[in-house]
């Protein structure tokens, strides 16, 4: 089976986002960028399926600026076979991303598409579900376990009440949650090897997709900051505070 | 504007998340509620009582029993011919269904709105709530998910909506429900609790977590939360995770025990009314936002606290 894994380049999760003074967005100049953590989990899952002999090829795809190719190289270093870079210097919204991915899926005909459940920059949590809708296939979102069984995939999902398992007919779309796996670190030899793996460059227009924004960002502001409060010296003082709050 | 709200329900009971979604929807226009499920009728009657709801649409069909988006989305899309906006709570069910609906309608979804600023303008958190964006839609129809903690709950009583049965669209034949492990607990639900006691990596293992955190939660009649580190390490199940990618909570009192205060955790609890932190590291970031901090070893402080409250 062939697996397609869409990966997004985002502000590294360890960096505290700073809102630009003019309120136009978050400052991304000269800050560390990384593969979206959920997408790293998606790559790991696909590579494991390949190592188990269930998948035969893992193709990674990223839609973004020139530097997204670095993100793709890091996915190749983890064990993906081939990469597609859909170059767009302007921000592409989830719906347009899903439309481009539909185009890629049309050409590649993957049996499984594994995405992250959400990009930690826009926190949208949309693309996987939208792609599944556009290609008319089932979706297993927030996966903590993925088991391929013949022409179906069993997906255990992290839901508000606990866990839920669904069975999806292949081809299917899966989005990853944090507990699905622990992504590996790419070894130096694999990082070197990744440099010569195939990476093709495309444009949204190659898939006939108009990436014009549907949502206009009017402004971006910092949330109200919470002030640090008081430190109490001991448990007794804490109990007093709890009593004042009416909870003890 | 005519708005269709997705009703979230479980075992015949309408969930609170629906009530916040109704409030958000009422800021846009006239509110109808869709109840889909196999035993949707009784929930439909509950939804008809919600203050401010005009009409309840009931789609009772086994195909909708587990909220499978492959089956539900076509139903919603068909109904949307008569509506300007679809509003769902930002629960795992709402997040699963709404984007599928949006794509089928060819509109952008606006996720986890915090406020309604105008007929097509909303605020929403980005970057784990470290920035708040005001966005305006240019689509003909709106698809929105609602952050429950940002909107008051509509009253469960006082309404007298008409109830209408709608025909289902049946099985899509793409997916099936296999089973669920739903945590049963006598404790208050995390997203609607008044008091939450949360434990982090410092709690060592599931036995220690249970022996330390649960007695305090019992005494305070609190719900139990956890950091990602505690969930990943298996101290408690995934449904306890509070944060950017877990549950968003805003109780009266949030007590963080042995939690450092990573931005991803703060994203899920920083709108709590009072935050209390117990941590042995006086420089832990959690103290920068805590209203009340106690620098102490939790293994002496928490049992002592339990004995005194
Ligand atoms: C994509 C992504 C999504 C994430 N989503 C979430 C999320 O939704 N929710 C979430 O919580 N995290 C999330 N995280 C993880 C987050 O970055 C942190 O790693 C996590 O919150 C840390 O958990 P912790 O505070 O329990 O552990 P630690 O950071 O290890 O902190 C443990 C704390 O316990 C204190 N301590 C230790 N022993 C004692 C003692 N005896 N007495 C008192 N204090 C003690 C220490 O001083 C320390 O401050 C996410 C990360 C990523 C990359
Ligand atoms: N620009 C992009 N390029 C490739 N994949 C993306 C892009 N944007 C989003 N995705 C994928 O869709 C998932 C969900 O993103 P979102 O809906 O934006 O939260 C991510 O985890 C990625 O797997």
């Amino acid at each position: 089976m062939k697996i397609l894994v869409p990966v997004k380049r985002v502000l590294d999760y360890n960096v505290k986002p700073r809102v630009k003074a003019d309120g136009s967005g978050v400052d991304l100049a000269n800050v560390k960028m990384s593969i979206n953590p959920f997408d790293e989990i998606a790559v790991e899952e696909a590579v494991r399926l390949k190592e188990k002999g269930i998948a035969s090829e893992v193709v990674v795809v990223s839609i973004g600026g020139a530097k997204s190719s670095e993100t793709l190289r890091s996915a190749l270093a983890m064990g993906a076979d081939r990469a597609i870079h859909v170059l767009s210097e302007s921000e592409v919204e989830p719906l347009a991303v899903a439309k481009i991915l539909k185009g890629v899926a049309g050409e590649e005909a993957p049996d499984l598409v594994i995405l992250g459940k959400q990009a930690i920059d826009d926190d949208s949590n949309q693309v996987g579900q939208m792609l599944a809708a556009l290609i008319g296939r089932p979706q297993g979102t927030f996966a903590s376990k993925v088991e391929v069984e013949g022409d179906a995939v069993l997906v255990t999902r992290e839901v508000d009440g606990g866990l839920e398992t669904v069975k999806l007919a292949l081809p299917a779309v899966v989005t990853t949650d944090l507990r699905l796996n622990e992504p590996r670190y790419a070894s130096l030899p694999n990082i070197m090897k990744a440099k010569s793996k195939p990476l093709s460059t495309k444009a949204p227009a190659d898939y006939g997709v108009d990436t014009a924004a549907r949502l206009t960002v009017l402004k971006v502001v910092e949330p109200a900051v919470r002030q640090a409060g008081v430190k109490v010296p001991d448990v007794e003082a804490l109990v007093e505070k709890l009593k004042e709050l009416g909870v003890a | 504007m005519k708005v269709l709200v997705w009703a979230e329900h479980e075992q015949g009971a309408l969930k609170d998340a629906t009530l916040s979604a109704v409030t958000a929807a009422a800021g846009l226009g006239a509110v109808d509620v869709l109840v889909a499920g196999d035993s949707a009728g009784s929930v439909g009657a509950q939804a008809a009582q919600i203050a401010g709801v005009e009409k309840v649409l009931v789609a009772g069909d086994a195909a909708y029993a587990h909220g499978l988006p492959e089956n539900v989305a076509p139903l919603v899309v068909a109904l949307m011919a008569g509506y300007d906006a679809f509003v769902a709570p930002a629960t795992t069910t709402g997040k699963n269904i709404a984007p599928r609906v949006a794509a089928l309608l060819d509109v952008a979804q606006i996720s986890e709105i915090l406020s309604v600023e105008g007929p097509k303008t909303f605020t929403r958190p980005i970057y784990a709530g470290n920035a708040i964006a005001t966005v305006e839609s240019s689509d003909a129809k709106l698809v929105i998910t609602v952050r429950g903690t940002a909107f008051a709950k509509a009253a469960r009583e006082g309404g007298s909506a008409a109830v209408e049965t709608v025909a289902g669209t049946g099985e899509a034949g793409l997916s099936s429900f296999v089973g669920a492990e739903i945590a049963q607990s006598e404790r208050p639900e995390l997203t609607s609790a008044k008091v939450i006691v949360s434990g982090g990596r410092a709690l060592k293992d599931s036995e220690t977590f249970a022996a330390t955190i649960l007695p305090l939660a019992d005494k305070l009649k609190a719900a139990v939360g956890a950091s990602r580190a505690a969930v990943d390490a298996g101290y408690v199940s995934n449904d306890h995770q509070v944060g950017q990618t877990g549950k968003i909570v805003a109780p009266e009192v949030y007590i963080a025990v042995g939690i450092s205060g990573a931005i991803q955790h703060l994203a899920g609890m920083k709108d709590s009314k009072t935050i209390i932190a117990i941590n042995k590291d006086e420089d832990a970031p959690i103290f920068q936002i805590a209203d009340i901090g106690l620098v102490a070893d939790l293994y002496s402080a928490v049992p002592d606290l339990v004995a005194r409250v």
Side-chain angles (χ1 to χ4, degrees):
Chain A
M1 76 172 354
K2 191 198 265 192
I3 304 180
L4 182 67
V5 183
V7 297
K8 186 177 187 186
R9 179 179 170 83
V10 297
L11 181 65
D12 186 85
Y13 80 96
N14 269 317
V15 177
K16 181 156 168 53
R18 301 263 170 234
V19 174
K20 285 195 252 181
D22 66 0
S24 63
V26 165
D27 197 351
L28 297 180
N30 305 315
V31 289
K32 186 176 177 208
M33 303 288 283
S34 300
I35 181 169
N36 182 40
F38 288 100
D39 305 353
E40 198 172 22
I41 295 172
V43 174
E44 176 67 34
E45 195 65 15
V47 170
R48 287 189 193 183
L49 285 168
K50 191 180 171 195
E51 287 166 349
K52 284 187 206 149
I54 296 169
S56 50
E57 191 183 23
V58 177
V59 180
V60 287
V61 52
S62 190
I63 298 139
K67 292 216 165 138
S68 296
S69 61
E70 290 171 15
T71 308
L72 288 167
R73 290 286 173 209
S74 68
L76 293 170
M78 287 176 69
D81 298 296
R82 187 156 63 77
I84 303 168
H85 181 188
V86 183
L87 189 63
S88 170
E89 289 299 341
S90 58
E91 188 74 28
V92 184
E93 290 176 352
L95 179 62
V97 169
K99 288 179 179 178
I100 292 169
L101 294 177
K102 179 191 176 185
V104 175
E107 285 179 358
E108 298 285 341
D111 303 282
L112 204 53
V113 185
I114 311 181
L115 308 89
K117 82 164 176 181
Q118 85 193 55
I120 60 162
D121 51 0
D122 61 31
D123 283 334
S124 293
N125 198 326
Q126 299 176 5
V127 172
Q129 299 88 314
M130 287 182 156
L131 172 64
L134 295 176
I135 61 176
R137 299 308 308 169
Q139 66 193 50
T141 50
F142 327 143
S144 63
K145 197 171 175 192
V146 175
E147 298 159 282
V148 176
E149 267 188 10
D151 57 1
V153 59
L154 282 170
V155 178
T156 302
R157 307 180 53 233
E158 294 201 0
V159 293
D160 288 336
L163 296 170
E164 170 187 297
T165 304
V166 291
K167 188 173 186 177
L168 314 175
L170 292 172
V173 175
V174 169
T175 75
T176 62
D177 216 319
L178 295 168
R179 259 71 60 183
L180 183 58
N181 60 48
E182 264 186 61
R184 71 193 65 193
Y185 288 101
S187 66
L188 198 56
N190 284 343
I191 293 172
M192 297 312 290
K193 233 171 35 192
K195 292 190 174 155
S196 55
K197 288 187 179 175
L199 187 155
S200 60
T201 306
K202 300 272 195 176
D206 294 338
Y207 304 100
V209 177
D210 173 8
T211 57
R214 303 286 191 89
L215 299 179
T216 313
V217 178
L218 300 178
K219 64 172 184 227
V220 175
V221 297
E222 301 240 356
V225 280
R226 266 190 104 104
Q227 300 298 329
V230 296
K231 289 232 173 79
V232 291
D234 52 28
V235 172
E236 205 178 328
L238 181 55
V239 173
E240 279 313 306
K241 291 280 184 191
L242 287 172
K243 284 190 178 145
E244 281 169 31
L245 290 166
V247 298
Chain B
M1 194 183 292
K2 287 192 73 185
V3 189
L4 185 64
V5 171
W6 171 261
E8 174 112 4
H9 56 97
E10 198 176 65
Q11 291 171 341
L14 194 70
K15 301 198 74 173
D16 277 355
T18 315
L19 304 173
S20 307
V22 166
T23 301
L28 288 169
V31 180
D32 288 359
V33 171
L34 169 63
V35 180
D38 52 350
S39 58
S42 64
V43 183
Q46 294 167 44
Q49 304 280 307
I50 303 174
V53 173
E54 299 207 343
K55 192 162 72 177
V56 174
L57 307 181
V58 172
D61 188 325
Y64 306 136
H66 300 287
L68 291 174
E70 297 79 8
N71 298 346
V72 168
L75 168 74
V76 177
V77 168
L79 293 171
M80 281 304 288
Y83 292 90
D84 306 298
F86 177 65
V87 172
T91 54
T92 46
T93 313
K95 288 174 180 174
N96 202 22
I97 292 167
R100 193 162 178 117
V101 170
L104 294 172
L105 294 172
D106 192 30
V107 308
Q109 175 181 301
I110 305 158
S111 296
E112 301 228 14
I113 62 162
L114 301 173
S115 68
V116 177
E117 301 289 319
K120 299 221 161 190
T121 310
F122 308 89
T123 61
R124 60 173 305 262
I126 54 176
Y127 289 90
N130 284 288
I132 309 295
T134 304
V135 297
E136 184 179 32
S137 168
S138 61
D139 286 316
K141 289 185 197 278
L142 297 169
V143 174
I144 292 166
T145 63
V146 173
R147 177 164 289 191
T149 53
F151 292 87
K153 295 180 188 73
R156 273 187 185 264
E157 319 251 296
S160 56
V163 179
E164 202 174 280
T165 307
V166 295
T169 43
E171 286 275 351
L174 296 169
S175 58
S176 56
F177 174 81
V178 176
E181 280 173 50
I182 299 301
Q184 296 297 342
S185 167
E186 300 294 305
R187 289 174 205 288
E189 204 187 330
L190 207 42
T191 50
S192 50
K194 290 216 154 41
V195 182
I196 294 175
V197 181
S198 264
R201 195 195 307 270
L203 275 308
K204 288 191 188 124
D205 53 39
S206 64
E207 290 76 28
T208 313
F209 190 101
T212 314
I213 298 294
L214 301 192
L216 183 58
D218 287 339
K219 275 272 173 94
L220 303 179
K221 298 187 181 59
V224 173
S227 71
R228 173 196 172 178
V231 175
D232 282 5
Y235 306 173
V236 285
S237 55
N238 64 283
D239 47 294
H240 293 84
Q241 184 181 314
V242 170
Q244 178 188 17
T245 60
K247 288 192 173 124
I248 308 293
V249 300
E252 297 285 320
V253 178
Y254 187 91
I255 308 181
V257 180
I259 292 178
S260 62
I263 60 169
Q264 293 85 7
H265 188 78
L266 302 187
M269 44 64 81
K270 69 181 161 59
D271 293 327
S272 304
K273 202 141 173 230
T274 301
I275 296 173
I276 300 176
I278 301 177
N279 196 305
K280 69 175 180 189
D281 172 11
E282 63 175 332
D283 295 324
I286 190 83
F287 287 127
Q288 289 164 20
I289 65 145
D291 300 287
I292 303 167
L294 176 64
V295 180
D297 185 330
L298 75 92
Y299 292 106
S300 58
V302 174
D304 192 9
L305 188 57
V306 172
R308 288 169 193 255
V309 290

